[in-house]
Amino acid sequence: MSVGGARAGVRSTARVAARGDGRGGTALPVLESEGSLALRRTRAATAPEARVLLVGAMSGPLGGDHFTVEADVDPGAHLHLGSVAATLALPGQAEGEARYDVRIRVAEGARLDWLPEQLISAGGSDLRVTTRAEVAPGARLVLREEQVLGRVGEQPGRLTSRLTVYLDGRPLLDQELACGPGAPGGWDGPAVLAGHRALGQLVVVRPEFETDRPSAAVLDEAGTAALTPLAGPAVLVTAVAPDALRLRRTLDAALRQLV
């Protein structure tokens, strides 16, 4: 889209709704996408789940773009939602920051695995990411976020990320981090990233954690990954790493222990 020869911000939305099909599987009554986002159903790894991949039809988000992903999982459904490739935030001709909003709702007796590929903050970009998950009692959620600051040999853009998780309407987790040019001082210091270029978090909500929740722990000898129990049937794993590959290995190892 352009105005007077200059590219205006693009609005892109992807929506998926999942519900039990009455035969032990998961149906997808809503699978809609537009703009730079495309949704594709793929073969599921297990019978109960439906597996959907998010495909970037164009580059971005660029400056001024607004991407939105919405997932709604009804009782008895199991949705695995991921992405084909990393999301690359780039500078654009349009003024203002780019936005990427993820909105998730998981009903009682449902499960959602939100496992996208990494988000890369390229030099000169300005992106605000907000992820909000609303989880009902008895629901299951696996949510992973991975962010990489800059491409190889490149300084990062500005990246602001806020993650909120609500259980039965009450806040379970609310955290925000800003990195890159213009972010509050100290984001790259020893108390936050300590010079690492990749950061991630993993939230796991399971009914079993009501009575048998893992204890707080440091997950590696280097002290770059930690597990924190939340005030409910959930845990948070936070990790930093020199690169995306080592970050993924750390989070995958934690996920295998938790589910």
Side-chain angles (χ1 to χ4, degrees):
M1 182 185 304
S2 64
V3 177
R7 177 187 181 280
V10 172
R11 301 295 182 267
S12 302
T13 303
R15 298 184 181 93
V16 56
R19 68 184 181 195
D21 63 5
R23 304 186 302 274
T26 298
L28 300 176
V30 177
L31 194 65
E32 303 173 347
S33 50
E34 61 183 8
S36 299
L37 301 175
L39 292 171
R40 300 288 184 265
R41 183 166 189 173
T42 64
R43 185 182 298 275
T46 59
E49 76 174 13
R51 186 172 288 246
V52 176
L53 290 177
L54 189 66
V55 180
M58 295 185 286
S59 61
L62 310 183
D65 288 355
H66 188 177
F67 290 4
T68 303
V69 176
E70 299 176 355
D72 201 342
V73 189
D74 288 341
H78 179 183
L79 175 63
H80 184 289
L81 183 57
S83 61
V84 171
T87 297
L88 180 61
L90 294 164
Q93 296 179 0
E95 295 183 0
E97 67 182 8
R99 291 178 56 190
Y100 199 130
D101 297 329
V102 178
R103 300 290 178 261
I104 291 167
R105 189 190 69 86
V106 192
E108 182 178 0
R111 173 172 172 171
L112 172 64
D113 297 336
W114 168 235
L115 298 170
E117 295 302 309
Q118 297 92 353
L119 188 155
I120 302 172
S121 174
S125 64
D126 185 359
L127 177 64
R128 177 176 293 274
V129 181
T130 63
T131 301
R132 179 185 174 104
E134 299 181 7
V135 185
R140 299 173 184 270
L141 173 67
V142 176
L143 186 155
R144 182 186 69 209
E145 289 189 343
E146 298 170 308
Q147 294 150 355
V148 180
L149 304 180
R151 293 167 290 191
V152 176
E154 176 185 63
Q155 292 300 310
R158 180 182 171 95
L159 176 63
T160 304
S161 176
R162 184 176 181 184
L163 170 62
T164 55
V165 181
Y166 290 82
L167 177 65
D168 197 20
R170 293 172 293 186
L172 189 64
L173 173 68
D174 189 342
Q175 66 176 26
E176 181 171 326
L177 178 65
C179 303
W187 64 269
D188 199 26
V192 186
L193 297 185
H196 292 93
R197 295 178 61 89
L199 62 149
Q201 48 239 340
L202 175 71
V203 178
V204 179
V205 181
R206 299 183 66 198
E208 294 86 349
F209 289 166
E210 287 281 10
T211 57
D212 186 18
R213 185 172 51 202
S215 302
V218 176
L219 300 181
D220 62 353
E221 294 182 358
T224 57
L227 183 149
T228 304
L230 300 178
V235 297
L236 169 68
V237 174
T238 305
V240 295
D243 54 55
L245 179 60
R246 276 176 275 192
L247 177 67
R248 175 64 60 84
R249 288 174 177 169
T250 297
L251 294 180
D252 280 351
L255 184 57
R256 287 192 294 269
Q257 296 179 16
L258 293 171
V259 299

